[in-house]
Amino acid sequence: MTTHRARRTTRAAALAAVTAALALGLTACGGTDGDSKAAGGGHAAGSAPTRSASGGDAKTGAEQAASSGGTKEGARSATTPSGTGKAASKGTTAAARQCRGDEMLVTALHRFAGEQGDHLLVTASNTSTTPCWVTSYPAVRLGDDGASLPHSKKDVPGGDKHLTLQPGGKVYSAVNLFDYGSKNQTATSLAIALRGADGHTGPFYSVVLKGQQPQFSWNEADVLNWNVKKPYDF
């Protein structure tokens, strides 16, 4: 009996050990499964940002494409002003109007008085804020003489061109004075008018001579075309 009870006790103990082992095994499996789910959950959570990052990258790519498009637009934008500036330059030339006498500062300087090459250097400056043009030669009246002087027959061709003056720009002309020693006229002032493309003159404006010898004499006189360079500049 004692042996039989001992065997039962041993079997019960073994059964209990097996049960405990099974319980521990189940607990371990459950824990692994939970950990696996947690890890999977963590992986899923980790995947979501990855997808989000991937989606973000795709969005960033789109934004980059948009940015690239923006850059192209920016490049066009940068090119456009350049083209506009060029067009504006042409437009400025095309838009330049005829200069008006009341917007011009005109001075005259008596040079080589009493010598060969005696002349009046005429300088006209654009005092307006917009470009304007002059053409041909100025209409000039000396002193109280009401007749306009003729154009010089020795002048170079090109008087029909439009010379555009930017604000502050200058052009030059000259009144050639010839003294043949008889029936001379003397004056210290002159009046000048601008000519249009059709040859008609605008209003005359008085010009006072500058320099040490403002008085001049002439028997005959003529006028040179407007030029961007000073005539007789030697």
Side-chain angles (χ1 to χ4, degrees):
M1 291 293 292
T2 302
T3 303
H4 182 69
R5 286 178 182 175
R7 287 178 182 174
R8 284 182 180 177
T9 303
T10 302
R11 287 178 184 174
L15 184 59
V18 171
T19 302
L22 288 174
L24 289 172
L26 289 174
T27 302
C29 288
T32 303
D33 186 54
D35 290 342
S36 177
K37 285 181 181 178
H43 179 70
S47 297
T50 303
R51 293 191 191 97
S52 178
S54 176
D57 288 343
K59 186 175 181 181
T60 304
E63 289 173 354
Q64 288 176 354
S67 173
S68 176
T71 303
K72 290 180 180 178
E73 287 300 322
R76 290 191 195 102
S77 216
T79 305
T80 301
S82 176
T84 303
K86 189 175 181 180
S89 177
K90 291 182 179 179
T92 300
T93 303
R97 53 180 176 74
Q98 182 179 354
C99 296
R100 294 202 323 249
D102 59 352
E103 295 178 332
M104 303 293 286
L105 175 62
V106 182
T107 60
L109 177 65
H110 190 192
R111 303 182 67 203
F112 305 114
E115 302 176 13
Q116 185 176 1
D118 191 353
H119 69 278
L120 305 176
L121 174 64
V122 179
T123 304
S125 305
N126 179 12
T127 62
S128 73
T129 57
T130 57
C132 65
W133 55 263
V134 296
T135 189
S136 190
Y137 62 99
V140 179
R141 294 175 181 173
L142 300 179
D144 297 328
D145 191 350
S148 296
L149 299 178
H151 179 229
S152 174
K153 295 179 179 179
K154 296 181 180 180
D155 200 0
V156 295
D160 56 342
K161 294 181 180 179
H162 288 187
L163 301 180
T164 300
L165 284 75
Q166 297 298 324
K170 297 180 180 181
V171 287
Y172 306 92
S173 178
V175 178
N176 299 313
L177 303 172
F178 304 101
D179 184 358
Y180 296 116
S182 62
K183 298 182 180 180
N184 291 341
Q185 301 184 64
T186 302
T188 56
S189 65
L190 66 156
I192 286 179
L194 301 177
R195 294 181 186 275
D198 57 1
H200 292 119
T201 60
F204 279 82
Y205 293 88
S206 296
V207 179
V208 177
L209 267 79
K210 294 183 176 182
Q212 296 180 350
Q213 294 180 318
Q215 181 173 306
F216 57 92
S217 300
W218 77 99
N219 180 276
E220 292 183 11
D222 55 30
V223 187
L224 298 180
N225 288 324
W226 290 116
N227 202 310
V228 293
K229 297 181 178 180
K230 292 180 181 181
Y232 310 122
D233 192 19
F234 46 75

